């Protein structure tokens, strides 16, 4: 589990603001499940999804996601991992390959999620991308309620990774604006 609790340059939970928020969200909680729910709902509801709001900033470090209060699904997953890991809750990364036709026709891209280890339930996937009409991700262990149901030609990448995929991090670092991101979403070969 050690790898799923590590701090990295991207999962920078020793940042003063990230650490303070993590402690605040855990305050008064008796279980890892309560802490995880508070952190999940904060990231889902209080951090804007860059694509939904057409924000012209691309964040990738957890501290920047919190500072600018925006991030693509991948970056929101980084912030959630930071908040959970600093509270001793092992957190990993996983992906779905989905149609991204809401941004551009006939393209597919990766969608970023988290795996959380809950003492009572084991590994549990959550999707903190943010809700909107037609999207209703919830925290209801052991039931997964992710943002999207898989459609034709869409699939889950089943790995639970301790670190985000390199292609995701490279994309977030390279493309800074909304228009750049929608033309260069990270993807994997089928």
């Amino acid at each position: 589990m050690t790898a799923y609790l590590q701090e990295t340059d991207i999962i920078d939970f020793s940042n003063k603001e990230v650490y303070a928020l993590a402690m605040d969200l855990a305050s008064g909680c008796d279980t890892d499940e309560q802490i995880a729910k508070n952190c999940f709902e904060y990231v889902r509801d209080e951090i804007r999804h860059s694509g939904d709001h057409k924000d012209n900033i691309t964040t990738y470090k957890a501290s920047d996601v919190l500072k600018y209060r925006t991030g693509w699904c991948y970056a929101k997953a980084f912030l959630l991992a930071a908040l959970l890991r600093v509270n001793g809750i092992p957190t990993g990364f996983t992906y779905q390959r989905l149609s991204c036709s809401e941004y551009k026709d006939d393209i597919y891209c990766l969608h970023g999620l988290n795996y959380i280890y809950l003492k009572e339930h084991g590994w549990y996937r959550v999707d903190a991308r943010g809700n909107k009409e037609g999207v209703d991700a919830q925290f209801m262990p052991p039931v997964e309620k992710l943002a999207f149901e898989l459609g034709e030609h869409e699939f889950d990448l089943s790995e639970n990774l301790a670190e985000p995929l390199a292609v995701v991090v490279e994309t977030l670092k390279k493309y800074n604006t909304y228009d750049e991101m929608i033309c260069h979403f990270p993807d994997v070969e089928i």
Side-chain angles (χ1 to χ4, degrees), residues 11-67:
I11 315 305
D12 57 343
F13 56 70
S14 62
N15 170 273
K16 188 170 89 172
E17 287 78 20
V18 173
Y19 183 85
L21 176 61
M23 295 302 104
D24 184 52
L25 292 169
S27 179
C29 294
D30 295 324
T31 66
D32 62 339
E33 193 170 324
Q34 289 174 321
I35 295 168
K37 182 175 183 178
N38 286 353
C39 293
F40 166 80
E41 289 180 348
Y42 180 89
V43 174
R44 182 194 65 190
D45 299 341
E46 301 300 325
I47 304 297
R48 293 160 46 114
H49 183 277
S50 299
D52 291 349
H53 295 276
K54 297 185 178 178
D55 290 332
N56 246 348
I57 181 172
T58 301
T59 55
Y60 66 91
K61 285 181 137 187
S63 57
D64 285 341
V65 175
L66 181 58
K67 177 180 178 180

